[in-house]
Amino acid sequence: MIIDKLENLEKYFSLNPLFKEVADFLHANDMNALSTGIHKIKGDDVFVNIQEAKGKKQEEAVVEYHHKMVDIQIPFSGPETYGYIPVADLPAADFDEEKDVALLPGVASQSYVTCQPGMFVIFFPQDGHAPFITDEPLLRKAIFKIKSL
């Protein structure tokens, strides 16, 4: 997991060359003007899902993880806290290969980080994460999905 300011995203291009596609998309688009839903950037290798959802309390947030995709999550309308737990520390779970996700409701995170607007967090396949923890009544955010290399 990585958390940093958006202005530093280019420092992470060496981790996955597809991260540059995300930075280019951010520079070319007004993220607040994009409609909710999925916007393709580079086929199935890079896309963004613009979401708006009610905030959750820590105990309501559901831990998830992915095998094929890396998440770059960016909150826009307010701060978002994420629960974190290494996948290696998670109990066995059913994994949906088609959706590339395992959901583990009721599993507690080991730690938490808060991402302010203007920041991003990157979750790799080894990172279990519980998103949408916020006091915001409605959180608007971007979830960039990048093929893990």
Side-chain angles (χ1 to χ4, degrees), residues 30-51:
D30 177 356
M31 299 303 290
N32 288 310
L34 286 177
S35 61
T36 57
I38 294 175
H39 302 267
K40 297 282 185 169
I41 299 170
K42 189 172 183 178
D44 290 333
D45 289 349
V46 183
F47 58 92
V48 63
N49 188 359
I50 303 297
Q51 293 187 345

Side-chain angles (χ1 to χ4, degrees), residues 12-120:
Y12 302 97
F13 290 177
S14 63
L15 297 176
N16 185 322
L18 294 172
F19 288 178
K20 185 175 183 326
E21 300 286 338
V22 172
D24 291 346
F25 187 86
L26 287 167
H27 290 331
N29 292 277
D30 177 356
M31 299 303 290
N32 288 310
L34 286 177
S35 61
T36 57
I38 294 175
H39 302 267
K40 297 282 185 169
I41 299 170
K42 189 172 183 178
D44 290 333
D45 289 349
V46 183
F47 58 92
V48 63
N49 188 359
I50 303 297
Q51 293 187 345
E52 291 180 352
K54 182 181 176 223
K56 298 177 183 181
K57 303 276 186 220
Q58 284 184 1
E59 60 275 6
E60 299 170 323
V62 176
V63 171
E64 63 183 64
Y65 65 88
H66 316 287
H67 286 159
K68 300 176 200 163
M69 303 301 275
V70 174
D71 281 6
I72 297 180
Q73 299 197 21
I74 305 169
F76 297 121
S77 61
E80 180 179 14
T81 297
Y82 303 89
Y84 172 78
I85 183 170
V87 169
D89 293 349
L90 289 170
D94 290 331
F95 192 87
D96 186 329
E97 292 292 339
E98 185 177 326
K99 293 181 180 178
D100 186 42
V101 68
L103 300 173
L104 294 101
V107 172
S109 296
Q110 291 177 350
S111 60
Y112 295 88
V113 296
T114 299
C115 192
Q116 301 291 332
M119 297 177 71
F120 66 90

